[in-house]
């Protein structure tokens, strides 16, 4: 019975050591790297939009109007697949 408990404890210790080693070697886990990259991308996107908003706004409005016209025009027609 003690042999079974000892092997379970050894497995748990090995699992804990390998988990700590993964975190210590590079500093961050892959998930943390992805979170950092995502936050950086969001900050860059927000800064770009704020800085260039005067130039981006007319293009965004134009695109939005064309998209809403396309959706409105397709409501009255049946969609068919051309083969």
């Amino acid at each position: 019975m003690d042999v079974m408990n000892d092997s379970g404890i050894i497995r748990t210790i090995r699992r804990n050591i390998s988990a700590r080693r993964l975190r210590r070697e590079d500093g961050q886990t892959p998930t943390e790297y992805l979170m950092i990259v995502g936050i950086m991308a969001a900050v860059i996107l927000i800064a770009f939009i704020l800085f260039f908003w005067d130039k981006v706004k007319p293009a965004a409005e134009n695109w939005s109007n064309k998209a809403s016209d396309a959706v409105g025009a397709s409501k009255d027609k049946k969609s068919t697949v051309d083969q």
Side-chain angles (χ1 to χ4, degrees):
M1 190 71 170
D2 289 330
V3 173
M4 295 298 282
N5 288 339
D6 289 342
S7 67
I9 291 171
I10 292 171
R11 258 193 315 245
T12 303
I13 291 170
R14 285 183 183 158
R15 193 175 324 128
N16 290 341
I17 289 171
S18 65
R20 282 187 297 227
R21 188 180 306 137
L22 175 66
R23 181 171 290 279
R24 268 195 221 137
E25 286 178 357
D26 294 332
Q28 283 95 13
T29 62
T31 303
E32 289 170 335
Y33 278 120
L34 288 174
M35 288 171 45
I36 291 167
V37 169
I39 291 169
M40 289 172 56
V43 168
I44 290 169
L45 182 65
I46 290 169
F48 178 80
I49 289 173
L50 290 176
F51 188 71
F52 292 110
W53 182 244
D54 294 333
K55 295 177 184 175
V56 172
K57 185 177 179 180
E61 287 175 348
N62 186 21
W63 179 85
S64 177
N65 289 335
K66 286 183 179 180
S68 66
D69 290 343
V71 170
S74 66
K75 285 183 181 178
D76 297 332
K77 298 179 182 177
K78 284 186 176 180
S79 61
T80 59
V81 178
D82 295 332
Q83 291 182 352

